[in-house]
């Protein structure tokens, strides 16, 4: 628990520093700090996942890791210059998929179809979802609000799910997914949803207050009060975050491992810490591109 707390404090300090950098450095260059973190998640996550999964040849691993290493920088470069980040990512994915297919043809003795499918899954899970994180970081309007919202929802979802589970777990012991994570309870899940909603509303008021001071108000033209929109986004995002966490548990269960890695003391590996965020980024991106602005 001590290690977990220390890691969490470091995590929050780094996050605050990156938020300050993003807000204060002009012309989008301040966003590159978060992009570097998301690129690291893509690379380190792919290493962890490929180590856990079996039946993958060495050449297949190299191709998969190479994709996860280049895809976030590729998105950022093309998005900031010609506003075509997702087109570049789609082309890159197809190119690397063709290379994997060629390996399956010309190195069929060791590069199996199952290994190819596993590599494609890794590219999507670690690489493309990390690109979605960078897309949240580069939305046309309210990108700082989007990053604050994403992180606060995840942090408060995890925190209140833990607190509710510890406090009320014995009174309401119904398990959320007993075959995947026997310690998670339904009441903990409810606490997580409440935490996600609180985190989203808090993100709105934090951004609203700082925006008043610095002069960067929220861009929003809807008829419903934005705090309500944020609260609903927090509800949906929290549910998806918990599904992402349980999905990671399913992978670990099938691989017969407890943690994906040991890089983050008290938390496990990169995927153990950021599994919820990878899934949640999709909801936050849609919320900030379709609904809020």
């Amino acid at each position: 628990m001590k290690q977990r707390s220390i890691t969490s404090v470091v995590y929050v300090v780094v996050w605050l520093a990156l938020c300050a950098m993003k807000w204060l450095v002009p012309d989008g260059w301040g966003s590159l700090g978060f992009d570097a973190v998301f690129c690291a998640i893509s690379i380190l996550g792919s290493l962890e996942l490929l180590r856990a999964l079996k039946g993958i040849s060495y050449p297949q691993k190299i191709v998969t890791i190479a994709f996860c290493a280049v895809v976030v920088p590729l998105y950022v470069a093309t998005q900031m210059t010609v506003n075509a980040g997702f087109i570049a990512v789609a082309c890159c994915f197809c190119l690397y998929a063709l290379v994997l297919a060629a390996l399956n043809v010309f190195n069929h003795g060791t590069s199996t179809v199952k290994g190819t499918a596993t590599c494609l899954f890794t590219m999507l899970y670690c690489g493309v979802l990390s690109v979605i994180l960078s897309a949240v970081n580069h939305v046309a309007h309210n990108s700082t609000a989007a990053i604050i919202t994403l992180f606060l929802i995840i942090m408060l979802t995890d925190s209140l799910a833990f607190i509710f589970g510890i406090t009320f777990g014995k009174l309401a012991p119904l398990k959320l997914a007993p075959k995947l994570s026997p310690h998670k309870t339904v009441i903990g899940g409810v606490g997580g949803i409440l935490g996600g909603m609180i985190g989203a509303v808090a993100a709105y008021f934090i951004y609203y207050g700082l925006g008043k001071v610095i002069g960067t108000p929220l861009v929003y033209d809807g008829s419903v009060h934005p705090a309500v929109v944020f609260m609903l986004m927090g509800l949906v995002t929290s549910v998806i975050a918990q599904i992402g966490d349980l999905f990671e548990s399913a992978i670990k269960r099938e691989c017969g491992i407890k943690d994906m890695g040991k890089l983050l003391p008290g938390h496990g590996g990169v995927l153990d810490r950021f599994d919820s965020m990878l899934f949640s980024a999709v909801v936050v991106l849609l919320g900030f591109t379709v609904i809020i602005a």
Side-chain angles (χ1 to χ4, degrees), residues 19 23 26 32 57 63 71 76 82-83 109-110 116-117 129 144 168 202 207 210 216 222 245 249 266 283:
C19 280
W23 204 316
L32 297 181
S57 70
V63 172
V71 68
V76 173
V82 294
N83 196 31
T110 54
T116 300
L129 288 183
T144 302
F168 305 111
Y207 188 80
L210 291 176
T216 56
D245 184 51
S249 296
V283 181

Side-chain angles (χ1 to χ4, degrees), residues 113-192:
V113 174
K114 182 179 178 181
T116 300
T118 302
C119 290
L120 291 173
F121 166 72
T122 302
M123 288 161 56
L124 288 169
Y125 184 35
C126 299
V128 175
L129 288 183
S130 294
V131 166
I132 300 297
L133 286 171
S134 275
V136 173
N137 189 34
H138 289 275
V139 292
H141 305 288
N142 311 313
S143 63
T144 302
I147 284 291
I148 294 173
T149 301
L150 175 62
F151 275 77
L152 282 184
I153 288 174
I154 299 302
M155 283 191 281
L156 288 181
T157 293
D158 290 344
S159 299
L160 263 71
F162 178 77
I163 292 171
F164 268 58
I166 292 293
T167 306
F168 305 111
K170 292 183 179 179
L171 298 176
L174 182 63
K175 302 299 181 182
L176 186 62
K179 292 184 178 180
L180 298 179
S181 187
H183 298 296
K184 286 184 169 61
T185 59
V186 172
I187 192 66
V190 172

Side-chain angles (χ1 to χ4, degrees), residues 2-293:
K2 182 180 179 181
Q3 287 182 327
R4 185 180 181 89
S5 299
I6 293 173
T7 303
S8 297
V9 170
V10 173
Y11 171 83
V12 172
V13 170
V14 171
W15 174 71
L16 289 173
L18 291 174
C19 280
M21 177 181 173
K22 177 176 174 60
W23 204 316
L24 298 176
V25 179
D27 300 326
W29 294 106
S31 300
L32 297 181
F34 275 114
D35 291 325
V37 172
F38 299 149
C39 183
I41 292 172
S42 177
I43 298 169
L44 296 173
S46 67
L47 290 170
E48 291 177 354
L49 191 56
L50 291 173
R51 183 170 57 245
L53 299 172
K54 308 298 181 184
I56 309 167
S57 70
Y58 186 75
Q60 288 176 316
K61 289 182 179 180
I62 294 299
V63 172
T64 304
I65 295 167
F67 172 82
C68 292
V70 304
V71 68
V72 172
L74 175 66
Y75 171 81
V76 173
T78 52
Q79 185 66 20
M80 291 183 67
T81 54
V82 294
N83 196 31
F86 282 117
I87 295 175
V89 169
C91 293
C92 183
F93 182 86
C94 291
L95 176 62
Y96 276 82
L98 288 173
V99 174
L100 286 172
L103 284 175
N104 187 243
V105 171
F106 298 108
N107 189 35
H108 188 66
T110 54
S111 298
T112 64
V113 174
K114 182 179 178 181
T116 300
T118 302
C119 290
L120 291 173
F121 166 72
T122 302
M123 288 161 56
L124 288 169
Y125 184 35
C126 299
V128 175
L129 288 183
S130 294
V131 166
I132 300 297
L133 286 171
S134 275
V136 173
N137 189 34
H138 289 275
V139 292
H141 305 288
N142 311 313
S143 63
T144 302
I147 284 291
I148 294 173
T149 301
L150 175 62
F151 275 77
L152 282 184
I153 288 174
I154 299 302
M155 283 191 281
L156 288 181
T157 293
D158 290 344
S159 299
L160 263 71
F162 178 77
I163 292 171
F164 268 58
I166 292 293
T167 306
F168 305 111
K170 292 183 179 179
L171 298 176
L174 182 63
K175 302 299 181 182
L176 186 62
K179 292 184 178 180
L180 298 179
S181 187
H183 298 296
K184 286 184 169 61
T185 59
V186 172
I187 192 66
V190 172
I193 292 173
L194 179 61
M197 295 168 69
I198 293 172
V201 174
Y204 165 71
F205 283 108
I206 289 171
Y207 188 80
Y208 179 81
L210 291 176
K212 283 285 188 180
V213 174
I214 301 177
T216 56
L218 184 77
V219 178
Y220 176 72
D221 58 0
S223 57
V224 181
H225 194 283
V228 176
V229 178
F230 272 71
M231 182 178 65
L232 294 175
M233 188 180 355
L235 186 153
V236 177
T237 305
S238 178
V239 172
I240 298 300
Q242 295 185 65
I243 292 174
D245 184 51
L246 290 171
F247 178 72
E248 183 72 18
S249 296
I251 294 175
K252 291 185 287 188
R253 179 73 64 178
E254 292 193 15
C255 293
I257 57 177
K258 183 179 183 296
D259 294 317
M260 295 299 291
K262 299 180 180 179
L263 183 63
L264 304 174
H267 292 269
V270 168
L271 290 180
D272 294 304
R273 186 64 188 86
F274 294 101
D275 50 4
S276 301
M277 190 175 295
L278 288 170
F279 276 69
S280 302
V282 178
V283 181
V284 174
L285 179 62
L286 290 174
F288 275 87
T289 54
V290 177
I291 300 173
I292 293 179

